[in-house]
Amino acid sequence: MLYPFKDSVPVYDRKEIMNCFNKHFISSGSLFDSLNPVSAKSGTNPPVYTGQPFNFVPFSVQEVCKALKLLDPRKSPGPDLLDPYFLKLAADFVAEPLTTLFNLTLDTNEIPSVWKSAFVIPLLKGGDPAVLTNYRPISNLSVLAKVLEALVCEQLKEFLHTNAILSEYQSGFRKNHSTITAAIRVVNDITIALDKKQHGASLFIDLSKAFDTVVHCILKLRLFQSGLSERAVAWFSNYLSNRSQCIKSDGLCSNFVTVHNGVPQGSVLGPLLFIIYINNLGLNVPDANLHFYADDTVIYSCGSTLVQAIDSLQKAFFAVQHSLLQLKLVLNADKTKLMLFSKSRNLAQIIPSVTTLEGNKIELVHTYKYLGILIDNSLTFKPHVENLVKNLKLKLRFYFQNKLCFSFNTKKRLVAATFLPVLDYGDILYMNASAQCLRMVDSVYHASLRFITNRKFQTHHCELYSQVGWPALVSRRNSHLYSFIYKAILGLLPSYICSLLAMKHAGRYSLRPHGYLLLSVPLARTELGKRAFVNLAPSAWNKLQKDWKMTEFISLSAFRSKLRILEAKSIICNCFN
């Protein structure tokens, strides 16, 4: 049983424990004010949108019905006590009255109070379970509120996309964007700099309770500056006001408490509102690049010397910190890390430190987990592969201990659901690791195939591929890379990825034969430079076209069908030919 402390005295009453949790989570919203008793100076406001303002369009019955049918029936009811399973079943019957209800909220700018309340479940992140800061709040909102938010979110996203309002380098919660596209762009830029004999410095910024500390009055101003009409901002003002939450566990509930700051975690609109809130964080940042994935922010700069790169990074960091103060967001200096990238062997020089506005030094690290990818300062991806293999071996140990409980098909589904996604994540980044590292990944993959097939350790890997019907990992990685490249060619990835690739145009002196779809390969000076996405992608694509000889674009689904045929051919053993 968990016994948190209240005024240094352990608490034993279950309801009082839940009230302690609720008070702790609510207090996160005033974190900035508790750390900064003097109000932050308001800085230069971002440019105000001058186009046609955003206004809500009434929802149609078809839109509401579709949103209801997309509900996850496995989710538990929220404070409205409506089960999403039954709402999904009754979508065709309840869509019309719910459409009237949802449109009424747009007309009156009034949202029912139960739709603005949440059941919160504390989730232990790790560490001492008696310490409240070791818990993350998981919110369960009313199901009808989520349906309404989904409809509003679609309209707002369309407006932001059409008018190019969001920062180009914000990858969080946006269509065609992902953690992988963000990581590829950052790694690509640093790799290109090293290839040009430059030096790089990056700062991985961590914010404390970022979503919880959003100030509503600042958010409403940001919404107006982003192009929302006064009427639309009034709806969001009502959406944010008088929100409440309680802790619910084992059938008991704490008291409901009003939430004064923050965007609702677990909501559909929350992440989008946060992105709008920090959208101009990169304004007036000199001589450095920024990339965002929601609140995960990295600043990186390059220079002819390491000192120059760090100096540029420090100036950019100061500018970002001033913007954070204006937004009343709290920098977590302890978890913010500095990493240096250099091919120079003589780093014995005195390297200047990077500091916060208060003068605290940022810790220098050699590896950092950025968006789930362990990046090392040599860009070898060896730490990532080693950690990947370690985690997969733990899974395998459990699999083999219970292998007699599962049939062949069950084991195959188990590995496909829990093992392959771990292998696949970031594979087009870590595919640049050394052959020795990739053999470690192959080894654990082959072990998973032996678990499925019940074959002995000495079984040749090609027999395992054939029996399970899965290709080698190198074929799997290449398929993911080809698919990623083709999506970029079709413009289905962020512009910061698509801009890295250029088609090779046929000309008088062109080497492009018969009008095949080839990409221009930039000059790379080093082996490391050849592994940058801007070089690796066109080289891999042109190699593929030697066999495929594509002369015109096809649909993405047709392209993936061709890749599946290529994977199927790779299952056939050619090791002894």
Side-chain angles (χ1 to χ4, degrees):
M1 181 67 182
L2 167 66
Y3 303 116
F5 290 84
K6 181 180 180 182
D7 300 326
S8 301
V9 177
V11 178
Y12 299 101
D13 181 74
R14 291 178 64 192
K15 188 159 186 177
E16 187 61 28
I17 289 173
M18 289 189 286
N19 285 328
C20 287
F21 268 112
N22 212 14
K23 183 179 179 181
H24 166 70
F25 291 144
I26 292 293
S27 66
S28 299
S30 56
L31 180 61
F32 180 89
D33 293 329
S34 64
L35 296 175
N36 300 272
V38 179
S39 299
K41 296 180 180 179
S42 58
T44 306
N45 284 326
V48 178
Y49 174 80
T50 56
Q52 187 69 25
F54 169 81
N55 276 297
F56 291 116
V57 177
F59 308 123
S60 67
V61 175
Q62 291 75 18
E63 288 177 315
V64 174
C65 188
K66 181 181 177 182
L68 289 170
K69 289 181 177 180
L70 290 175
L71 288 173
D72 186 349
R74 297 168 297 179
K75 297 290 185 181
S76 56
D80 59 2
L81 302 181
L82 292 174
D83 196 312
Y85 175 78
F86 295 109
L87 276 175
K88 184 171 184 172
L89 284 179
D92 293 323
F93 304 98
V94 299
E96 187 171 350
L98 286 179
T99 302
T100 302
L101 189 59
F102 292 157
N103 285 330
L104 191 60
T105 70
L106 302 182
D107 294 336
T108 62
N109 291 330
E110 289 286 340
I111 300 172
S113 58
V114 69
W115 291 3
K116 297 191 288 183
S117 58
F119 291 149
V120 176
I121 301 172
L123 180 67
L124 182 65
K125 297 182 291 186
D128 187 355
V131 179
L132 296 181
T133 54
N134 290 335
Y135 288 82
R136 177 186 294 111
I138 304 298
S139 298
N140 185 15
L141 304 174
S142 298
V143 62
L144 291 182
K146 286 190 172 184
V147 175
L148 174 60
E149 288 185 38
L151 297 167
V152 169
C153 196
E154 280 302 309
Q155 291 191 15
L156 183 54
K157 278 184 176 180
E158 180 62 28
F159 171 79
L160 296 172
H161 173 72
T162 303
N163 295 281
I165 291 171
L166 295 181
S167 167
E168 178 187 359
Y169 296 103
Q170 170 60 264
S171 297
F173 309 103
R174 297 176 68 183
K175 185 179 180 181
N176 298 331
H177 294 63
S178 68
T179 54
I180 298 303
T181 61
I184 284 178
R185 181 61 199 236
V186 172
V187 171
N188 175 81
D189 290 351
I190 295 172
T191 304
I192 291 173
L194 295 177
D195 184 59
K196 294 178 180 177
K197 296 184 178 180
Q198 291 183 322
H199 306 263
S202 66
L203 204 61
F204 299 95
I205 293 178
D206 186 86
L207 300 178
S208 297
K209 307 292 183 182
F211 279 56
D212 296 328
T213 52
V214 169
V215 179
H216 291 170
C217 61
I218 299 177
L219 174 57
K220 286 182 279 188
L221 177 62
R222 288 289 186 264
L223 291 171
F224 179 74
Q225 292 168 337
S226 298
L228 276 69
S229 67
E230 290 186 11
R231 186 170 182 81
V233 173
W235 186 92
F236 280 102
S237 178
N238 184 270
Y239 169 82
L240 294 166
S241 66
N242 298 317
R243 300 196 71 91
S244 62
Q245 68 177 46
C246 76
I247 306 297
K248 183 177 181 181
S249 178
D250 297 329
L252 288 178
C253 289
S254 69
N255 300 324
F256 272 93
V257 179
T258 303
V259 182
H260 299 286
N261 287 328
V263 292
Q265 295 209 38
S267 66
V268 180
L269 277 172
L272 183 60
L273 292 176
F274 182 80
I275 288 171
I276 296 173
Y277 190 74
I278 65 165
N279 189 45
N280 300 111
L281 192 61
L283 283 181
N284 304 318
V285 175
D287 303 323
N289 298 295
L290 278 84
H291 208 110
F292 307 91
Y293 191 90
D295 60 325
D296 284 301
T297 305
V298 58
I299 314 174
Y300 55 101
S301 59
C302 302
S304 56
T305 66
L306 200 53
V307 172
Q308 184 185 50
I310 294 174
D311 183 59
S312 297
L313 186 68
Q314 180 68 81
K315 292 176 182 176
F317 187 35
F318 279 156
V320 168
Q321 288 180 87
H322 283 297
S323 296
L324 291 176
L325 286 174
Q326 294 170 31
L327 296 174
K328 295 193 175 183
L329 294 175
V330 180
L331 174 75
N332 189 338
D334 292 335
K335 290 186 178 180
T336 297
K337 305 298 180 184
L338 169 69
M339 188 182 294
L340 305 179
F341 301 89
S342 176
K343 296 185 70 177
S344 174
R345 297 182 180 179
N346 183 22
L347 292 179
Q349 58 182 308
I350 299 176
I351 300 174
S353 58
V354 175
T355 62
T356 65
L357 290 173
E358 294 78 20
N360 300 319
K361 290 184 179 180
I362 300 299
E363 181 187 0
L364 176 66
V365 296
H366 301 294
T367 60
Y368 185 85
K369 194 170 189 177
Y370 176 61
L371 302 178
I373 304 290
L374 264 177
I375 297 177
D376 60 285
N377 58 354
S378 298
L379 299 179
T380 64
F381 293 98
K382 183 179 178 181
H384 179 79
V385 170
E386 290 176 342
N387 185 65
L388 174 72
V389 170
K390 177 184 175 182
N391 292 334
L392 290 176
K393 282 183 175 178
L394 292 175
K395 288 180 179 289
L396 277 176
R397 188 174 303 155
F398 171 79
Y399 292 166
F400 277 103
Q401 287 174 350
N402 299 276
K403 66 179 181 179
L404 297 179
C405 302
F406 307 114
S407 65
F408 173 87
N409 288 330
T410 302
K411 287 188 284 188
K412 186 175 177 179
R413 287 198 300 269
L414 177 65
V415 173
T418 64
F419 201 88
L420 292 186
V422 180
L423 279 172
D424 291 344
Y425 184 76
D427 60 354
I428 58 178
L429 273 166
Y430 74 75
M431 69 188 302
N432 292 320
S434 66
Q436 182 181 3
C437 281
L438 294 179
R439 279 195 293 271
M440 294 166 54
V441 183
D442 285 337
S443 177
V444 75
Y445 176 57
H446 295 157
S448 72
L449 300 182
R450 289 197 298 274
F451 159 73
I452 296 173
T453 58
N454 256 350
R455 302 297 291 271
K456 295 181 179 179
F457 180 78
Q458 296 84 357
T459 306
H460 194 269
H461 53 265
C462 287
E463 292 185 38
L464 298 173
Y465 300 154
S466 178
Q467 188 170 348
V468 179
W470 290 348
L473 283 183
V474 63
S475 298
R476 193 175 179 91
R477 287 192 294 267
N478 285 336
S479 289
H480 295 158
L481 177 62
Y482 295 145
S483 181
F484 190 87
I485 295 169
Y486 195 61
K487 287 171 71 176
I489 292 173
L490 296 179
L492 299 177
L493 290 180
S495 58
Y496 62 74
I497 293 292
C498 299
S499 63
L500 298 177
L501 304 180
M503 299 301 300
K504 181 185 288 187
H505 298 288
R508 183 177 177 185
Y509 302 106
S510 174
L511 298 178
R512 175 178 166 184
H514 309 296
Y516 299 154
L517 298 176
L518 301 179
L519 295 172
S520 296
V521 183
L523 174 66
R525 298 172 176 82
T526 64
E527 288 301 315
L528 178 63
K530 292 177 182 178
R531 298 201 297 267
F533 180 79
V534 71
N535 292 297
L536 172 70
S539 297
W541 175 263
N542 292 348
K543 184 178 179 181
L544 178 68
Q545 294 315 307
K546 288 182 179 179
D547 296 325
W548 284 19
K549 298 179 173 58
M550 289 175 57
T551 58
E552 59 182 16
F553 296 112
I554 59 178
S555 68
L556 182 60
S557 59
F559 184 82
R560 285 173 171 167
S561 296
K562 289 172 69 72
L563 286 178
R564 285 193 289 270
I565 294 172
L566 190 66
E567 284 187 356
K569 290 180 179 178
S570 71
I571 295 175
I572 301 172
C573 179
N574 293 308
C575 295
F576 307 107
N577 291 345

